[in-house]
Amino acid sequence: MIKFSAIKSFLILFFAAGLIQAGASAQTPNVLRVSAIPDEAPTELQRKFKPLGEYLAKKIGMKVEFTPVTDYAAAVEALINNKVDMVWFGGFTFVQAKHRSKNQVTPLVQRAEDEKFKSVFITTNPGINKLADLKGKTLCFGSESSTSGHLMPRSYLLAAKINPDTDLKRIAFSGAHDATVAAVAGGKVDAGALNMSVWEKLVVEKKVDPAVVRVFYTTPGYYDYNWSVRSDMSADLRQKLTDAFLALDSKNPQDKMILDLQRASKFIATKGENYAAIEAAAQNAGLLKK
């Protein structure tokens, strides 16, 4: 027969262990793990994020670590599988994460510029001056999961009665916007489609000559990038992060440096409903299962 004292000791240990585990799970993690879709070179992403990470760490009272990923799909999987806590998504990767997680991903903020984002089509070929001229030509997109480097350019091609898979000689995927520019400039393809913001940055930095590589079509505006978190993140931390982004003020020199690196005039709050058009475009293009 088991003695009462032994049972009592067991129960004490059992409940103590339970309290310790409950306390540990309720604690705020001391590290915020952040990542971003690799739409530019890894070194550029790290350079852009470093001042922002230091700023966020001060605002939320936690260490902030940036973890690069290999491709767009890896960014989605990292967030929904709790490998990271916050990710810089494009509109399409946000929609993918929303679907993969069964609506357990929440967008917090976006740049003001992301309310009316645009893509550009570029070429060195003097015979290409409109979308219809791409028929029978070669075209380079960015990543297959890129909003501004694939989904929306494809959507506008389809709207112009051009099916990239049947009307073009060949399509390629460079993996990143700057790589698309390099492919066009190097003569590997006749044309390319990319994020307008990256294009303008490369022109300003004189990394591309717009007299040689030129824009021949600019899309209408659409919602794009955002900073997203898993929906199970504590409401307190979500609010601290949102407040930190919204507090960035271009009139403050240090804040302006951070905003300039993010190619943002300011950050604004966003919501999942803003990306309904992206979701519809992905479904219409056959890139997202209903």
Side-chain angles (χ1 to χ4, degrees):
M1 181 178 292
I2 301 174
K3 293 182 178 180
F4 175 76
S5 59
I7 295 175
K8 184 178 179 182
S9 297
F10 172 79
L11 289 174
I12 290 172
L13 288 171
F14 177 81
F15 284 113
L19 287 171
I20 290 170
Q21 185 175 7
S25 63
Q27 289 176 352
T28 302
N30 58 7
V31 177
L32 181 77
R33 303 162 300 171
V34 181
S35 193
I37 55 171
D39 58 349
E40 295 183 82
T43 52
E44 178 65 5
L45 292 177
Q46 294 271 17
R47 183 184 75 86
K48 284 169 54 179
F49 182 76
K50 189 174 184 295
L52 175 60
E54 292 170 351
Y55 166 81
L56 291 176
K58 291 178 182 177
K59 288 290 187 178
I60 65 175
M62 294 169 59
K63 183 178 180 182
V64 176
E65 291 181 350
F66 184 82
T67 303
V69 291
T70 55
D71 55 34
Y72 282 49
V76 171
E77 295 303 316
L79 185 64
I80 66 177
N81 290 318
N82 199 19
K83 299 290 180 62
V84 296
D85 306 301
M86 184 171 73
V87 176
W88 177 242
F89 279 140
F92 185 28
T93 35
F94 162 72
V95 168
Q96 289 177 316
K98 174 189 165 189
H99 275 244
R100 288 277 293 110
S101 67
K102 294 181 171 57
N103 207 28
Q104 294 304 303
V105 171
T106 300
L108 296 182
V109 296
Q110 61 185 164
R111 300 170 301 189
E113 289 75 7
D114 292 313
E115 285 188 297
K116 292 184 178 179
F117 206 78
K118 295 179 181 179
S119 298
V120 293
F121 284 76
I122 59 172
T123 188
T124 58
N125 188 327
I128 298 177
N129 296 292
K130 57 186 183 296
L131 293 181
D133 295 335
L134 290 173
K135 289 186 176 181
K137 303 295 195 300
T138 56
L139 175 72
C140 184
F141 292 117
S143 165
E144 289 188 69
S145 293
S146 172
T147 310
S148 53
H150 179 217
L151 173 60
M152 296 314 287
R154 176 182 282 270
S155 179
Y156 288 113
L157 282 169
L158 291 171
K161 309 299 182 186
I162 301 168
N163 186 330
D165 300 317
T166 57
D167 294 333
L168 273 60
K169 181 179 180 180
R170 175 174 59 87
I171 59 172
F173 293 93
S174 70
H177 301 295
D178 45 6
T180 296
V181 175
V184 175
K188 294 181 179 179
V189 289
D190 295 310
L194 73 147
N195 171 325
M196 185 176 182
S197 178
V198 172
W199 167 257
E200 291 175 340
K201 184 199 75 164
L202 293 174
V203 170
V204 169
E205 294 176 350
K206 301 188 184 304
K207 292 182 178 178
V208 61
D209 183 353
V212 177
V213 182
R214 60 185 173 82
V215 173
F216 68 92
Y217 179 78
T218 301
T219 71
Y222 53 86
Y223 278 98
D224 201 354
Y225 295 86
N226 67 59
W227 281 106
S228 287
V229 300
R230 286 190 316 283
S231 300
D232 62 1
M233 175 182 280
S234 73
D236 179 61
L237 181 53
R238 267 193 279 174
Q239 193 60 54
K240 284 181 179 179
L241 286 167
T242 300
D243 290 346
F245 277 106
L246 299 184
L248 286 166
D249 185 351
S250 60
K251 294 177 183 177
N252 178 313
Q254 286 187 318
D255 288 1
K256 187 177 187 307
M257 183 264 291
I258 293 171
L259 288 166
D260 287 348
L261 283 172
Q262 300 300 310
R263 297 194 290 279
S265 57
K266 64 178 180 178
F267 279 92
I268 59 175
T270 190
K271 55 187 178 180
E273 291 85 348
N274 288 342
Y275 302 92
I278 294 284
E279 187 169 352
Q283 289 174 340
N284 292 336
L287 300 175
L288 186 71
K289 293 181 180 179
K290 294 183 180 181

